[in-house]
Amino acid sequence: MILADKIIEERKKNGWSQEELAEQLGVSRQSVSKWESAGSVPDLKKILQLAELFGVSTDYLLKDDILPENETPALYNDTAAEEPIRKISMEEANTFLQLKAREAVSIANGVMLCIISPVILIILAALSEAEKYSLSENFAAGIGCTFMFVMIAAAVFMFITSSMKSRDADTLQKEVFETEYGVTGMVNEKKRAFAGNFTYGIAIGVVLCIVAVIPIFIAQAMQVPDHIAAILVGVLLLLVAIGVNMIIRVCIINGSFDTLLQEGEYSQKEKQFRQKTDVLSGIYWSIMTAIYLGWSFWTMRWDITWIIWPVAGVLFAAIAGIMRLFVKDIKQ
């Protein structure tokens, strides 16, 4: 194992990101990235600092054939022989990134279909109440519900097929692994190249969700007929759907880079935390979905009920923060 791989391994053992290690060494994140991709080698002073931080000898860092003092070869280590750490090759890493890119499209489009699914129902229901349109209420409800459930069924199909295709790859988001030489450098390069798309995707998506309420303000200000207001509600849901689509797409792709780098929410510490909270997370979002559908069908105010999603997201972040403190206190 060369120096670059040893730095990666020891950093991940400690649960540090490249930024966190860089701060402790007094260097930039780019410097750490270059060390880990074998693009450059730290000077002697930094080698000494690394050895002290990692709790290993300088001989271990500098000599490829030396194991750290607290490790023994797998031949004499029963635990290592029984549970070897998975090694991710360059081919596996590229396959994972391609799968997540396709999954990002499927999941984002599926969520978009769910959001716009009631648009036809809303518009037809409003037209059926307008006297100048000879459209019966039963016909409007039947056609509208048909379109809505077809869209939801298509979205569920996308979710299930995407989940099945990426099931094996998604284990990387939960298990601890090591990457072979060159993988970290390749992933860092792709992440840097995607950074602009990620920033603009998040920014435009959030802006679209904010400006989506403008059609409702226009409807109220101009006191437009109900069927025109219904069309404007459809515009609102469409803008929200496009914005959410963009946010989900770039977040999944950027998350695939963090998964292979084991950084951010996919660091070893975060993986251990999610193992404790996955069940609660599933229950929480299931309840929120039930509340959204129940409230929407009961009131038929789809122009208002969508607000539950941003509120639920903020609330979930708060709950996750409280749980993080709670788990930390238990460990202490």
Side-chain angles (χ1 to χ4, degrees):
M1 188 184 296
I2 64 172
L3 174 60
D5 291 332
K6 290 178 180 178
I7 294 175
I8 295 171
E9 180 179 317
E10 295 299 326
R11 173 175 64 78
K12 291 178 179 178
K13 279 183 181 178
N14 286 277
W16 298 329
S17 64
Q18 289 184 339
E19 289 85 351
E20 290 170 332
L21 178 59
E23 287 178 6
Q24 297 183 70
L25 293 171
V27 298
S28 65
R29 186 199 63 79
Q30 288 76 14
S31 296
V32 174
S33 178
K34 287 181 180 180
W35 297 345
E36 295 187 351
S37 61
S40 66
V41 178
D43 58 32
L44 182 57
K45 181 180 178 181
K46 297 304 178 188
I47 292 288
L48 292 172
Q49 284 183 268
L50 286 167
E52 184 178 353
L53 279 174
F54 296 150
V56 298
S57 65
T58 54
D59 281 346
Y60 163 65
L61 292 176
L62 296 172
K63 296 182 180 179
D64 297 347
D65 57 345
I66 294 182
L67 291 169
E69 291 82 352
N70 59 349
E71 292 185 12
T72 55
L75 181 63
Y76 303 104
N77 189 326
D78 293 336
T79 302
E82 292 174 3
E83 299 180 1
I85 296 179
R86 181 178 177 183
K87 280 276 190 179
I88 304 300
S89 66
M90 184 71 75
E91 182 180 359
E92 289 175 315
N94 279 312
T95 299
F96 173 78
L97 293 177
Q98 291 168 6
L99 280 172
K100 298 304 288 185
R102 289 195 290 269
E103 179 187 11
V105 175
S106 295
I107 298 298
N109 288 342
V111 172
M112 183 175 180
L113 285 177
C114 289
I115 294 173
I116 65 174
S117 62
V119 170
I120 301 298
L121 175 61
I122 294 169
I123 294 175
L124 290 180
L127 291 176
S128 68
E129 295 177 358
E131 295 181 358
K132 64 178 180 178
Y133 297 102
S134 57
L135 189 66
S136 70
E137 186 176 340
N138 290 337
F139 178 81
I143 296 298
C145 288
T146 299
F147 270 96
M148 182 173 67
F149 284 109
V150 166
M151 287 186 181
I152 292 175
V156 171
F157 177 79
M158 290 179 183
F159 296 150
I160 293 175
T161 54
S162 175
S163 176
M164 295 294 289
K165 289 177 181 177
S166 61
R167 181 173 52 187
D168 293 336
D170 285 344
T171 58
L172 296 182
Q173 297 178 341
K174 299 178 181 179
E175 66 181 18
V176 177
F177 58 86
E178 295 178 355
T179 54
E180 293 184 355
Y181 176 71
V183 172
T184 299
M186 178 273 292
V187 177
N188 271 318
E189 184 177 346
K190 288 192 173 185
K191 184 177 180 180
R192 285 194 294 270
F194 186 72
N197 291 336
F198 177 70
T199 300
Y200 285 116
I202 294 292
I204 295 173
V206 171
V207 169
L208 283 174
C209 290
I210 294 172
V211 302
V213 298
I214 292 178
I216 301 301
F217 294 150
I218 293 174
Q220 291 179 343
M222 299 182 65
Q223 296 182 342
V224 298
D226 289 345
H227 64 283
I228 300 298
I231 293 174
L232 292 177
V233 170
V235 173
L236 177 150
L237 292 176
L238 181 60
L239 289 175
V240 170
I242 294 172
V244 172
N245 182 296
M246 296 182 69
I247 293 171
I248 291 175
R249 195 174 295 213
V250 297
C251 283
I252 290 178
I253 293 174
N254 194 69
S256 67
F257 300 135
D258 287 340
T259 298
L260 290 175
L261 296 172
Q262 298 192 87
E263 293 180 350
E265 63 176 311
Y266 299 104
S267 65
Q268 293 186 25
K269 289 182 179 179
E270 288 297 320
K271 287 178 181 179
Q272 293 171 356
F273 175 73
R274 281 205 307 278
Q275 287 175 358
K276 297 178 174 64
T277 60
D278 275 349
V279 174
L280 178 62
S281 175
I283 294 172
Y284 176 85
W285 288 111
S286 296
I287 292 173
M288 288 300 168
T289 302
I291 292 173
Y292 169 69
L293 294 175
W295 183 20
S296 299
F297 281 112
W298 181 264
T299 63
M300 292 304 294
R301 293 301 305 271
W302 300 86
D303 58 321
I304 295 176
T305 56
W306 67 272
I307 198 69
I308 195 172
W309 294 116
V311 172
V314 173
L315 183 60
F316 181 76
I319 293 173
I322 293 171
M323 288 190 62
R324 195 180 300 278
L325 292 174
F326 181 71
V327 171
K328 187 183 293 184
D329 288 342
I330 291 177
K331 287 181 178 179
Q332 292 173 349

